[in-house]
mmCIF file of all heavy atoms in Angstrom:
data_model
loop_
_atom_site.group_PDB
_atom_site.id
_atom_site.type_symbol
_atom_site.label_atom_id
_atom_site.label_comp_id
_atom_site.label_asym_id
_atom_site.label_seq_id
_atom_site.Cartn_x
_atom_site.Cartn_y
_atom_site.Cartn_z
ATOM 1 N N PHE K 974 -3.526 -10.372 -1.822
ATOM 2 C CA PHE K 974 -2.372 -9.572 -2.047
ATOM 3 C C PHE K 974 -2.801 -8.199 -2.332
ATOM 4 O O PHE K 974 -3.372 -7.868 -3.395
ATOM 5 C CB PHE K 974 -1.661 -10.237 -3.216
ATOM 6 C CG PHE K 974 -0.250 -9.476 -3.573
ATOM 7 C CD1 PHE K 974 0.520 -8.852 -2.519
ATOM 8 C CD2 PHE K 974 0.332 -9.524 -4.844
ATOM 9 C CE1 PHE K 974 1.652 -8.227 -2.800
ATOM 10 C CE2 PHE K 974 1.399 -8.904 -5.189
ATOM 11 C CZ PHE K 974 2.221 -8.393 -4.131
ATOM 12 N N ALA K 975 -2.464 -7.309 -1.331
ATOM 13 C CA ALA K 975 -2.935 -5.910 -1.379
ATOM 14 C C ALA K 975 -1.617 -5.038 -1.234
ATOM 15 O O ALA K 975 -0.959 -5.079 -0.313
ATOM 16 C CB ALA K 975 -3.901 -5.542 -0.413
ATOM 17 N N MET K 976 -1.345 -4.202 -2.200
ATOM 18 C CA MET K 976 -0.198 -3.331 -2.265
ATOM 19 C C MET K 976 -0.510 -2.096 -3.080
ATOM 20 O O MET K 976 -1.325 -2.094 -4.001
ATOM 21 C CB MET K 976 1.037 -4.045 -2.877
ATOM 22 C CG MET K 976 1.542 -5.147 -2.144
ATOM 23 S SD MET K 976 2.412 -4.786 -0.510
ATOM 24 C CE MET K 976 3.956 -4.106 -1.121
ATOM 25 N N ASN K 977 0.297 -0.989 -2.961
ATOM 26 C CA ASN K 977 0.397 0.109 -3.834
ATOM 27 C C ASN K 977 1.257 -0.332 -5.041
ATOM 28 O O ASN K 977 2.072 -1.140 -4.901
ATOM 29 C CB ASN K 977 1.064 1.273 -3.201
ATOM 30 C CG ASN K 977 0.235 1.899 -1.976
ATOM 31 O OD1 ASN K 977 -0.829 2.165 -2.269
ATOM 32 N ND2 ASN K 977 0.770 2.002 -0.905
ATOM 33 N N MET K 978 0.823 0.297 -6.177
ATOM 34 C CA MET K 978 1.486 -0.087 -7.457
ATOM 35 C C MET K 978 1.629 1.207 -8.272
ATOM 36 O O MET K 978 0.651 1.914 -8.411
ATOM 37 C CB MET K 978 0.805 -1.208 -8.197
ATOM 38 C CG MET K 978 1.500 -1.746 -9.388
ATOM 39 S SD MET K 978 0.641 -3.118 -10.243
ATOM 40 C CE MET K 978 -0.603 -2.228 -11.083
ATOM 41 N N SER K 979 2.761 1.308 -8.971
ATOM 42 C CA SER K 979 2.893 2.447 -10.098
ATOM 43 C C SER K 979 2.102 1.984 -11.349
ATOM 44 O O SER K 979 1.939 0.785 -11.429
ATOM 45 C CB SER K 979 4.379 2.644 -10.370
ATOM 46 O OG SER K 979 4.981 1.487 -10.934
ATOM 47 N N VAL K 980 1.884 2.864 -12.130
ATOM 48 C CA VAL K 980 1.193 2.520 -13.366
ATOM 49 C C VAL K 980 1.890 1.531 -14.222
ATOM 50 O O VAL K 980 1.437 0.668 -14.885
ATOM 51 C CB VAL K 980 0.800 3.795 -14.200
ATOM 52 C CG1 VAL K 980 0.354 3.457 -15.584
ATOM 53 C CG2 VAL K 980 -0.123 4.657 -13.408
ATOM 54 N N ASP K 981 3.211 1.647 -14.065
ATOM 55 C CA ASP K 981 4.145 0.586 -14.931
ATOM 56 C C ASP K 981 4.383 -0.669 -14.141
ATOM 57 O O ASP K 981 5.153 -1.517 -14.490
ATOM 58 C CB ASP K 981 5.389 1.289 -15.436
ATOM 59 C CG ASP K 981 6.183 2.008 -14.305
ATOM 60 O OD1 ASP K 981 5.868 2.177 -13.233
ATOM 61 O OD2 ASP K 981 7.415 2.289 -14.604
ATOM 62 N N GLY K 982 3.634 -0.961 -13.038
ATOM 63 C CA GLY K 982 3.617 -2.231 -12.495
ATOM 64 C C GLY K 982 4.595 -2.460 -11.335
ATOM 65 O O GLY K 982 4.778 -3.667 -11.064
ATOM 66 N N TYR K 983 5.081 -1.529 -10.648
ATOM 67 C CA TYR K 983 6.087 -1.793 -9.570
ATOM 68 C C TYR K 983 5.518 -1.415 -8.272
ATOM 69 O O TYR K 983 4.689 -0.350 -8.148
ATOM 70 C CB TYR K 983 7.456 -0.990 -9.876
ATOM 71 C CG TYR K 983 8.041 -1.394 -11.134
ATOM 72 C CD1 TYR K 983 7.810 -0.669 -12.373
ATOM 73 C CD2 TYR K 983 8.791 -2.448 -11.137
ATOM 74 C CE1 TYR K 983 8.418 -1.197 -13.587
ATOM 75 C CE2 TYR K 983 9.451 -3.038 -12.338
ATOM 76 C CZ TYR K 983 9.176 -2.263 -13.501
ATOM 77 O OH TYR K 983 9.754 -2.729 -14.600
ATOM 78 N N ILE K 984 6.013 -2.080 -7.136
ATOM 79 C CA ILE K 984 5.469 -1.783 -5.859
ATOM 80 C C ILE K 984 6.657 -0.941 -5.093
ATOM 81 O O ILE K 984 6.338 -0.454 -4.182
ATOM 82 C CB ILE K 984 5.159 -3.049 -5.069
ATOM 83 C CG1 ILE K 984 6.371 -4.077 -4.892
ATOM 84 C CG2 ILE K 984 3.910 -3.783 -5.680
ATOM 85 C CD1 ILE K 984 6.032 -5.223 -3.987
ATOM 86 N N ALA K 985 7.830 -0.938 -5.678
ATOM 87 C CA ALA K 985 8.889 -0.134 -5.194
ATOM 88 C C ALA K 985 9.763 0.307 -6.292
ATOM 89 O O ALA K 985 10.038 -0.531 -7.289
ATOM 90 C CB ALA K 985 9.694 -0.864 -4.142
ATOM 91 N N ALA K 986 10.210 1.514 -6.354
ATOM 92 C CA ALA K 986 11.140 2.037 -7.402
ATOM 93 C C ALA K 986 12.545 1.562 -7.211
ATOM 94 O O ALA K 986 12.848 0.839 -6.097
ATOM 95 C CB ALA K 986 11.097 3.517 -7.462
ATOM 96 N N PRO K 987 13.458 1.689 -8.094
ATOM 97 C CA PRO K 987 14.858 1.251 -7.866
ATOM 98 C C PRO K 987 15.394 1.737 -6.513
ATOM 99 O O PRO K 987 15.034 2.953 -6.140
ATOM 100 C CB PRO K 987 15.629 1.809 -9.074
ATOM 101 C CG PRO K 987 14.588 1.932 -10.053
ATOM 102 C CD PRO K 987 13.313 2.287 -9.438
ATOM 103 N N GLY K 988 16.138 1.000 -5.857
ATOM 104 C CA GLY K 988 16.703 1.222 -4.541
ATOM 105 C C GLY K 988 15.628 1.167 -3.420
ATOM 106 O O GLY K 988 15.778 1.719 -2.347
ATOM 107 N N ASP K 989 14.575 0.454 -3.635
ATOM 108 C CA ASP K 989 13.401 0.247 -2.749
ATOM 109 C C ASP K 989 12.743 1.543 -2.328
ATOM 110 O O ASP K 989 12.254 1.796 -1.236
ATOM 111 C CB ASP K 989 13.870 -0.580 -1.526
ATOM 112 C CG ASP K 989 14.248 -2.089 -1.826
ATOM 113 O OD1 ASP K 989 13.690 -2.588 -2.758
ATOM 114 O OD2 ASP K 989 15.191 -2.468 -1.108
ATOM 115 N N ASP K 990 12.684 2.536 -3.251
ATOM 116 C CA ASP K 990 12.192 3.872 -2.957
ATOM 117 C C ASP K 990 10.703 3.718 -3.120
ATOM 118 O O ASP K 990 10.122 3.327 -4.152
ATOM 119 C CB ASP K 990 12.712 4.784 -4.140
ATOM 120 C CG ASP K 990 12.296 6.316 -3.869
ATOM 121 O OD1 ASP K 990 11.421 6.548 -2.931
ATOM 122 O OD2 ASP K 990 12.694 7.080 -4.618
ATOM 123 N N LEU K 991 10.057 4.112 -2.045
ATOM 124 C CA LEU K 991 8.561 4.106 -1.812
ATOM 125 C C LEU K 991 7.961 5.661 -1.891
ATOM 126 O O LEU K 991 6.884 5.805 -1.577
ATOM 127 C CB LEU K 991 8.143 3.409 -0.659
ATOM 128 C CG LEU K 991 8.627 1.966 -0.537
ATOM 129 C CD1 LEU K 991 8.103 1.344 0.865
ATOM 130 C CD2 LEU K 991 7.857 1.132 -1.686
ATOM 131 N N GLY K 992 8.930 6.653 -2.039
ATOM 132 C CA GLY K 992 8.474 7.955 -1.896
ATOM 133 C C GLY K 992 7.278 8.385 -2.867
ATOM 134 O O GLY K 992 6.565 9.316 -2.557
ATOM 135 N N TRP K 993 7.116 7.622 -3.912
ATOM 136 C CA TRP K 993 5.920 7.924 -4.864
ATOM 137 C C TRP K 993 4.611 7.440 -4.380
ATOM 138 O O TRP K 993 3.636 7.765 -4.848
ATOM 139 C CB TRP K 993 6.304 7.326 -6.191
ATOM 140 C CG TRP K 993 6.582 5.764 -6.025
ATOM 141 C CD1 TRP K 993 7.683 5.124 -5.906
ATOM 142 C CD2 TRP K 993 5.546 4.668 -6.127
ATOM 143 N NE1 TRP K 993 7.529 3.780 -5.716
ATOM 144 C CE2 TRP K 993 6.205 3.514 -5.833
ATOM 145 C CE3 TRP K 993 4.147 4.776 -6.190
ATOM 146 C CZ2 TRP K 993 5.520 2.322 -5.808
ATOM 147 C CZ3 TRP K 993 3.417 3.523 -6.273
ATOM 148 C CH2 TRP K 993 4.129 2.329 -6.089
ATOM 149 N N SER K 994 4.604 6.600 -3.280
ATOM 150 C CA SER K 994 3.353 5.937 -2.879
ATOM 151 C C SER K 994 2.753 6.482 -1.633
ATOM 152 O O SER K 994 2.042 5.923 -0.934
ATOM 153 C CB SER K 994 3.662 4.441 -2.662
ATOM 154 O OG SER K 994 4.556 4.251 -1.557
ATOM 155 N N VAL K 995 3.085 7.772 -1.314
ATOM 156 C CA VAL K 995 2.453 8.451 -0.133
ATOM 157 C C VAL K 995 0.906 8.551 -0.363
ATOM 158 O O VAL K 995 0.458 9.102 -1.424
ATOM 159 C CB VAL K 995 3.055 9.941 0.083
ATOM 160 C CG1 VAL K 995 2.372 10.532 1.108
ATOM 161 C CG2 VAL K 995 4.599 9.647 0.381
ATOM 162 N N PRO K 996 0.114 8.061 0.439
ATOM 163 C CA PRO K 996 -1.341 8.054 0.309
ATOM 164 C C PRO K 996 -2.004 9.406 0.624
ATOM 165 O O PRO K 996 -1.540 10.048 1.486
ATOM 166 C CB PRO K 996 -1.897 6.841 1.163
ATOM 167 C CG PRO K 996 -0.939 6.889 2.287
ATOM 168 C CD PRO K 996 0.441 7.346 1.685
ATOM 169 N N SER K 997 -3.193 9.631 -0.005
ATOM 170 C CA SER K 997 -3.994 10.696 0.471
ATOM 171 C C SER K 997 -4.557 10.199 1.891
ATOM 172 O O SER K 997 -4.437 9.213 2.158
ATOM 173 C CB SER K 997 -5.155 10.889 -0.552
ATOM 174 O OG SER K 997 -5.973 9.726 -0.519
ATOM 175 N N ASP K 998 -5.166 11.210 2.507
ATOM 176 C CA ASP K 998 -5.792 10.888 3.762
ATOM 177 C C ASP K 998 -6.972 9.813 3.614
ATOM 178 O O ASP K 998 -7.002 8.882 4.385
ATOM 179 C CB ASP K 998 -6.491 12.150 4.453
ATOM 180 C CG ASP K 998 -5.400 13.135 4.850
ATOM 181 O OD1 ASP K 998 -4.255 12.834 5.026
ATOM 182 O OD2 ASP K 998 -5.791 14.391 5.187
ATOM 183 N N GLU K 999 -7.676 9.952 2.515
ATOM 184 C CA GLU K 999 -8.784 8.985 2.237
ATOM 185 C C GLU K 999 -8.172 7.552 2.105
ATOM 186 O O GLU K 999 -8.708 6.600 2.563
ATOM 187 C CB GLU K 999 -9.679 9.526 1.147
ATOM 188 C CG GLU K 999 -10.785 8.597 0.820
ATOM 189 C CD GLU K 999 -11.584 9.173 -0.256
ATOM 190 O OE1 GLU K 999 -11.696 10.370 -0.531
ATOM 191 O OE2 GLU K 999 -12.264 8.319 -0.981
ATOM 192 N N LEU K 1000 -7.178 7.515 1.277
ATOM 193 C CA LEU K 1000 -6.538 6.307 0.990
ATOM 194 C C LEU K 1000 -5.877 5.686 2.215
ATOM 195 O O LEU K 1000 -5.990 4.432 2.587
ATOM 196 C CB LEU K 1000 -5.510 6.369 -0.063
ATOM 197 C CG LEU K 1000 -4.706 5.054 -0.502
ATOM 198 C CD1 LEU K 1000 -5.662 3.934 -0.889
ATOM 199 C CD2 LEU K 1000 -3.709 5.304 -1.684
ATOM 200 N N PHE K 1001 -5.186 6.521 3.027
ATOM 201 C CA PHE K 1001 -4.633 6.019 4.298
ATOM 202 C C PHE K 1001 -5.699 5.436 5.167
ATOM 203 O O PHE K 1001 -5.402 4.433 5.835
ATOM 204 C CB PHE K 1001 -3.809 7.141 5.037
ATOM 205 C CG PHE K 1001 -3.052 6.689 6.193
ATOM 206 C CD1 PHE K 1001 -1.853 6.164 6.130
ATOM 207 C CD2 PHE K 1001 -3.630 6.921 7.445
ATOM 208 C CE1 PHE K 1001 -1.198 5.656 7.125
ATOM 209 C CE2 PHE K 1001 -2.879 6.436 8.582
ATOM 210 C CZ PHE K 1001 -1.700 5.843 8.408
ATOM 211 N N GLN K 1002 -6.967 6.029 5.280
ATOM 212 C CA GLN K 1002 -7.910 5.492 6.047
ATOM 213 C C GLN K 1002 -8.431 4.155 5.532
ATOM 214 O O GLN K 1002 -8.686 3.159 6.244
ATOM 215 C CB GLN K 1002 -9.133 6.450 6.033
ATOM 216 C CG GLN K 1002 -10.252 6.093 7.057
ATOM 217 C CD GLN K 1002 -9.739 6.057 8.523
ATOM 218 O OE1 GLN K 1002 -9.233 6.850 9.122
ATOM 219 N NE2 GLN K 1002 -9.926 4.814 9.182
ATOM 220 N N TRP K 1003 -8.549 3.998 4.109
ATOM 221 C CA TRP K 1003 -8.799 2.694 3.556
ATOM 222 C C TRP K 1003 -7.856 1.650 3.999
ATOM 223 O O TRP K 1003 -8.241 0.535 4.335
ATOM 224 C CB TRP K 1003 -8.926 2.853 2.006
ATOM 225 C CG TRP K 1003 -9.185 1.607 1.309
ATOM 226 C CD1 TRP K 1003 -10.532 1.118 1.154
ATOM 227 C CD2 TRP K 1003 -8.339 0.556 0.822
ATOM 228 N NE1 TRP K 1003 -10.465 -0.148 0.469
ATOM 229 C CE2 TRP K 1003 -9.186 -0.554 0.287
ATOM 230 C CE3 TRP K 1003 -7.029 0.521 0.684
ATOM 231 C CZ2 TRP K 1003 -8.623 -1.678 -0.353
ATOM 232 C CZ3 TRP K 1003 -6.437 -0.671 0.086
ATOM 233 C CH2 TRP K 1003 -7.186 -1.673 -0.367
ATOM 234 N N TRP K 1004 -6.582 1.915 3.929
ATOM 235 C CA TRP K 1004 -5.451 1.036 4.340
ATOM 236 C C TRP K 1004 -5.739 0.667 5.825
ATOM 237 O O TRP K 1004 -5.563 -0.447 6.281
ATOM 238 C CB TRP K 1004 -4.054 1.445 4.157
ATOM 239 C CG TRP K 1004 -3.623 1.327 2.688
ATOM 240 C CD1 TRP K 1004 -3.418 2.404 1.810
ATOM 241 C CD2 TRP K 1004 -3.474 0.181 1.945
ATOM 242 N NE1 TRP K 1004 -3.016 1.821 0.567
ATOM 243 C CE2 TRP K 1004 -2.971 0.530 0.690
ATOM 244 C CE3 TRP K 1004 -3.485 -1.177 2.275
ATOM 245 C CZ2 TRP K 1004 -2.694 -0.334 -0.266
ATOM 246 C CZ3 TRP K 1004 -3.216 -2.124 1.312
ATOM 247 C CH2 TRP K 1004 -2.732 -1.732 0.101
ATOM 248 N N SER K 1005 -5.984 1.707 6.758
ATOM 249 C CA SER K 1005 -6.226 1.418 8.059
ATOM 250 C C SER K 1005 -7.277 0.566 8.403
ATOM 251 O O SER K 1005 -7.305 -0.461 9.221
ATOM 252 C CB SER K 1005 -6.365 2.837 8.762
ATOM 253 O OG SER K 1005 -6.363 2.639 10.227
ATOM 254 N N ASP K 1006 -8.395 0.776 7.712
ATOM 255 C CA ASP K 1006 -9.661 -0.021 7.824
ATOM 256 C C ASP K 1006 -9.395 -1.500 7.455
ATOM 257 O O ASP K 1006 -9.877 -2.390 8.026
ATOM 258 C CB ASP K 1006 -10.834 0.614 7.042
ATOM 259 C CG ASP K 1006 -11.347 1.902 7.693
ATOM 260 O OD1 ASP K 1006 -10.892 2.145 8.834
ATOM 261 O OD2 ASP K 1006 -12.057 2.640 7.037
ATOM 262 N N ARG K 1007 -8.514 -1.605 6.405
ATOM 263 C CA ARG K 1007 -8.096 -2.922 5.907
ATOM 264 C C ARG K 1007 -7.404 -3.654 6.932
ATOM 265 O O ARG K 1007 -7.580 -4.803 7.179
ATOM 266 C CB ARG K 1007 -7.370 -2.784 4.653
ATOM 267 C CG ARG K 1007 -6.986 -4.122 4.012
ATOM 268 C CD ARG K 1007 -6.565 -3.831 2.465
ATOM 269 N NE ARG K 1007 -6.397 -5.243 2.130
ATOM 270 C CZ ARG K 1007 -7.386 -5.956 1.654
ATOM 271 N NH1 ARG K 1007 -8.609 -5.454 1.468
ATOM 272 N NH2 ARG K 1007 -7.267 -7.284 1.229
ATOM 273 N N VAL K 1008 -6.392 -3.000 7.609
ATOM 274 C CA VAL K 1008 -5.653 -3.600 8.659
ATOM 275 C C VAL K 1008 -6.593 -4.028 9.837
ATOM 276 O O VAL K 1008 -6.458 -5.226 10.376
ATOM 277 C CB VAL K 1008 -4.609 -2.673 9.158
ATOM 278 C CG1 VAL K 1008 -3.980 -3.120 10.545
ATOM 279 C CG2 VAL K 1008 -3.453 -2.528 8.219
ATOM 280 N N ASP K 1009 -7.588 -3.162 10.189
ATOM 281 C CA ASP K 1009 -8.499 -3.495 11.205
ATOM 282 C C ASP K 1009 -9.330 -4.720 10.935
ATOM 283 O O ASP K 1009 -9.695 -5.506 11.816
ATOM 284 C CB ASP K 1009 -9.385 -2.303 11.480
ATOM 285 C CG ASP K 1009 -10.158 -2.291 12.788
ATOM 286 O OD1 ASP K 1009 -9.593 -2.769 13.756
ATOM 287 O OD2 ASP K 1009 -11.475 -2.118 12.653
ATOM 288 N N GLY K 1010 -9.516 -5.004 9.587
ATOM 289 C CA GLY K 1010 -10.385 -6.218 9.169
ATOM 290 C C GLY K 1010 -9.567 -7.309 8.834
ATOM 291 O O GLY K 1010 -10.202 -8.401 8.340
ATOM 292 N N THR K 1011 -8.236 -7.381 8.975
ATOM 293 C CA THR K 1011 -7.456 -8.489 8.587
ATOM 294 C C THR K 1011 -7.252 -9.470 9.779
ATOM 295 O O THR K 1011 -6.940 -8.962 10.900
ATOM 296 C CB THR K 1011 -6.062 -7.978 8.071
ATOM 297 O OG1 THR K 1011 -6.174 -7.162 7.009
ATOM 298 C CG2 THR K 1011 -5.163 -9.189 7.829
ATOM 299 N N GLY K 1012 -7.498 -10.655 9.645
ATOM 300 C CA GLY K 1012 -7.456 -11.715 10.643
ATOM 301 C C GLY K 1012 -5.933 -12.061 10.874
ATOM 302 O O GLY K 1012 -5.491 -12.281 12.045
ATOM 303 N N LEU K 1013 -5.061 -12.023 9.799
ATOM 304 C CA LEU K 1013 -3.707 -12.385 9.894
ATOM 305 C C LEU K 1013 -2.936 -11.696 8.661
ATOM 306 O O LEU K 1013 -3.468 -11.840 7.495
ATOM 307 C CB LEU K 1013 -3.461 -13.929 9.776
ATOM 308 C CG LEU K 1013 -2.151 -14.516 9.974
ATOM 309 C CD1 LEU K 1013 -1.578 -14.240 11.240
ATOM 310 C CD2 LEU K 1013 -2.148 -16.056 9.741
ATOM 311 N N ALA K 1014 -1.942 -11.088 8.950
ATOM 312 C CA ALA K 1014 -1.004 -10.520 7.892
ATOM 313 C C ALA K 1014 0.227 -11.348 7.788
ATOM 314 O O ALA K 1014 0.834 -11.680 8.724
ATOM 315 C CB ALA K 1014 -0.676 -9.017 8.317
ATOM 316 N N LEU K 1015 0.533 -11.728 6.458
ATOM 317 C CA LEU K 1015 1.756 -12.368 6.118
ATOM 318 C C LEU K 1015 2.650 -11.435 5.561
ATOM 319 O O LEU K 1015 2.371 -10.829 4.533
ATOM 320 C CB LEU K 1015 1.380 -13.547 5.158
ATOM 321 C CG LEU K 1015 0.136 -14.478 5.609
ATOM 322 C CD1 LEU K 1015 0.016 -15.475 4.549
ATOM 323 C CD2 LEU K 1015 0.377 -15.093 6.948
ATOM 324 N N TYR K 1016 3.952 -11.444 6.117
ATOM 325 C CA TYR K 1016 4.994 -10.436 5.610
ATOM 326 C C TYR K 1016 6.293 -11.249 5.196
ATOM 327 O O TYR K 1016 6.579 -12.186 5.822
ATOM 328 C CB TYR K 1016 5.394 -9.592 6.826
ATOM 329 C CG TYR K 1016 4.431 -8.383 6.961
ATOM 330 C CD1 TYR K 1016 3.742 -8.370 8.285
ATOM 331 C CD2 TYR K 1016 4.267 -7.434 6.187
ATOM 332 C CE1 TYR K 1016 2.819 -7.498 8.562
ATOM 333 C CE2 TYR K 1016 3.470 -6.250 6.512
ATOM 334 C CZ TYR K 1016 2.666 -6.439 7.695
ATOM 335 O OH TYR K 1016 1.798 -5.432 8.010
#
């Protein structure tokens, strides 16, 4: 289970707002490499 999380433990703010979770370029590359190494994603 891999997700972004706020310090207070949320993956989305009220109203499903994800504006706080914009990644840096380095973090975005980490997520991209993770997708590349995933055999199957469950959504």
Side-chain angles (χ1 to χ4, degrees):
F974 180 29
M976 294 287 289
N977 293 305
M978 182 179 81
S979 65
V980 170
D981 53 349
Y983 296 96
I984 61 174
D989 293 327
D990 184 353
L991 300 174
W993 56 270
S994 64
V995 176
S997 65
D998 291 344
E999 186 180 331
L1000 177 56
F1001 187 78
Q1002 187 62 54
W1003 180 84
W1004 281 114
S1005 183
D1006 292 344
R1007 183 164 189 82
V1008 165
D1009 193 43
T1011 298
L1013 181 64
L1015 312 179
Y1016 286 105

